[in-house]
């Protein structure tokens, strides 16, 4: 009798530890997905989602409850709500950059399967997503943002979604014409969709660039309402036309260059046929890699420019040309070497010695000065 009672007790305990279609004590399988989780304040934190098959995964439905507890948070186990991505961090799918190969996302099998997901459905119970929750996933998916998620949605714009919707009850974010905005519409984080042309809403007064991504659009129209572009830089890495509406008192565009009229500095560029021309009147130019667009082979600098920074960032090739139109050399900062090995500088007649004395480059760069007639 005692043996029978022991067996029955064992079976009962085992039953209590088995959840519906559960793979282990900290994971559960729903359909063709495995969800790993841990307890957190207010409910459950899903720390990893793994597609278990190449098929039947077009729609990812994140459960609203696990073990009868609400799912309130999404994101990798080491990811946080407010700090930068670390090398050993992974996103919600356990994906991260390879330590051995550049531009390779691992695990490759998981990345290939995530690419097949078309729709991600987040339940209304979720109130938190970590900073890098959906980082590194391929473009072209549909996703919804519940009303309770009031942080880190701006980091989702690194992916260009087929469609992103935000609950109208969300008090922090909204989307207008493919633009992710603050709820009051006065600040813009960037673009969440790929489009041929985006006319930024005329409610926008400030375009944010910390975490902001303005890629995925072939033409951008900035309204006259925009008074500030954060840090005076934009993230644009492909050919993009930038236009500024008439009446804007702070910004203007000319030959693909967006610049601040008051500060007289370049904000973003478009390289035309390998050439970037800084407009006359600009005083300061920085080729910081966060906002420079397609790489240039030649830079034309007007006499108005007084200071340039990160000049070598303009090119990924070994050869680069600068055409200087001013007799007085601009002050040159941050001339560290990247890919450029041979720099040719065209200067006004009789100005070679002036430029040689003013500009100092790393010894690994061969600099040739040619005087223009």
């Amino acid at each position: 009798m005692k043996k029978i009672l022991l067996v029955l007790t064992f079976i009962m305990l085992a039953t209590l530890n088995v959840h519906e279609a559960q793979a282990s004590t900290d994971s559960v399988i729903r359909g063709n997905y495995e969800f790993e989780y841990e307890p957190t304040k207010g409910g459950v934190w899903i720390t990893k989602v793994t597609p278990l098959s190449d098929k039947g995964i077009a729609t990812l439905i994140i459960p609203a409850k696990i073990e009868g507890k609400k799912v309130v948070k999404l994101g990798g186990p080491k990811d946080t709500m407010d700090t930068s991505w670390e090398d050993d961090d992974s996103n919600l799918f356990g994906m991260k950059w390879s330590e051995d190969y550049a531009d390779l996302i691992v695990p490759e099998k998981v990345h290939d399967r995530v690419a097949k997901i078309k729709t991600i459905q987040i339940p209304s119970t979720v109130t938190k997503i970590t900073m890098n929750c959906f980082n590194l996933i391929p473009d072209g998916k549909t996703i919804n943002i519940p009303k309770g998620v009031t942080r880190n949605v701006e980091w989702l714009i690194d992916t260009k979604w087929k469609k992103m919707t935000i609950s109208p009850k969300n008090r922090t974010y909204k989307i207008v014409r493919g633009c992710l905005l603050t709820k009051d519409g006065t600040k813009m984080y960037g673009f969440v969709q790929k489009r041929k042309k985006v006319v930024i809403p005329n409610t926008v007064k400030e375009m944010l660039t910390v975490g902001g991504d303005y890629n995925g659009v072939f033409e951008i129209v900035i309204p006259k309402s925009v008074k500030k572009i954060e840090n005076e830089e934009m993230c644009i890495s492909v050919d993009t036309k930038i236009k500024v509406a008439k009446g804007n008192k702070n910004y203007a565009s000319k030959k693909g260059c967006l610049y601040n009229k008051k500060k007289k500095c370049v904000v973003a560029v478009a390289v035309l046929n390998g050439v970037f021309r800084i407009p006359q009147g600009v005083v300061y130019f920085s080729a910081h890699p966060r906002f420079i667009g397609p790489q240039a082979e030649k830079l034309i600098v007007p006499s108005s420019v007084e200071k340039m920074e990160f000049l070598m960032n303009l090119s990924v090739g070994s050869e680069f040309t600068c055409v200087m139109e001013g007799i007085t050399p601009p002050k040159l900062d941050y001339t560290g070497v990247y890919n450029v090995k041979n720099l040719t500088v065209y200067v006004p007649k009789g100005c070679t010695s002036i430029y040689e004395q003013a500009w100092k480059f790393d010894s690994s760069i061969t600099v040739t000065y040619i005087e223009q007639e």
Side-chain angles (χ1 to χ4, degrees), residues 74-99:
L74 306 176
K78 294 183 179 181
D79 200 8
T80 67
M81 296 296 293
D82 54 12
T83 57
S84 300
W85 176 274
E86 300 292 340
D87 291 339
D88 61 346
D89 287 349
S90 57
N91 68 5
L92 183 62
F93 299 95
M95 293 155 44
K96 62 181 182 179
W97 289 111
S98 170
E99 297 178 2

Side-chain angles (χ1 to χ4, degrees), residues 127-190:
T127 58
K128 293 182 179 179
I129 58 173
T130 59
M131 280 186 69
N132 302 287
C133 181
F134 295 103
N135 193 17
L136 304 182
I137 70 173
D139 295 343
K141 306 183 190 307
T142 297
I143 193 170
N144 68 292
I145 306 299
K147 67 177 182 180
V149 177
T150 57
R151 292 174 62 187
N152 291 331
V153 174
E154 59 268 29
W155 300 107
L156 272 66
I157 62 179
D158 287 338
T159 295
K160 299 308 172 191
W161 305 88
K162 179 179 180 180
K163 185 178 182 181
M164 178 190 287
T165 57
I166 296 179
S167 168
K169 295 181 180 180
N170 190 297
R171 67 176 187 271
T172 305
Y173 305 98
K174 70 177 181 180
I175 294 174
V176 179
R177 301 175 192 164
C179 305
L180 179 62
L181 312 176
T182 54
K183 187 66 174 182
D184 63 4
T186 60
K187 295 183 179 181
M188 176 178 175
Y189 294 102

Side-chain angles (χ1 to χ4, degrees), residues 219-334:
E219 184 175 341
I220 303 170
V221 180
I222 298 175
K224 66 179 183 180
S225 59
V226 173
K227 297 179 180 180
K228 180 181 179 181
I229 297 176
E230 188 180 24
N231 297 326
E232 300 298 348
E233 55 188 45
M234 289 175 63
C235 179
I236 301 174
S237 60
V238 296
D239 287 313
T240 303
K241 293 181 180 179
I242 303 175
K243 297 181 179 180
V244 180
K246 292 182 179 180
N248 191 301
K249 297 179 180 180
N250 297 278
Y251 297 96
S253 60
K254 185 177 182 180
K255 295 185 177 179
C257 175
L258 174 66
Y259 61 97
N260 187 308
K261 295 191 291 185
K262 293 183 177 180
K263 295 182 179 180
K264 300 181 180 179
C265 65
V266 171
V267 177
V269 305
V271 177
L272 306 175
N273 299 318
V275 179
F276 169 51
R277 176 185 287 275
I278 300 174
Q280 179 67 37
V282 168
V283 172
Y284 169 72
F285 171 71
S286 173
H288 194 285
R290 285 190 57 219
F291 73 89
I292 201 71
Q295 302 297 318
E297 298 172 5
K298 179 189 290 187
L299 172 68
I300 301 175
V301 183
S303 58
S304 61
V305 175
E306 298 175 359
K307 183 179 179 179
M308 297 194 299
E309 294 180 329
F310 299 104
L311 180 62
M312 295 300 100
N313 283 19
L314 274 169
S315 178
V316 294
S318 61
E319 309 282 337
F320 188 59
T321 299
C322 279
V323 179
M324 309 302 301
E325 297 180 342
I327 296 175
T328 302
K331 181 181 178 182
L332 203 59
D333 285 343
Y334 304 108

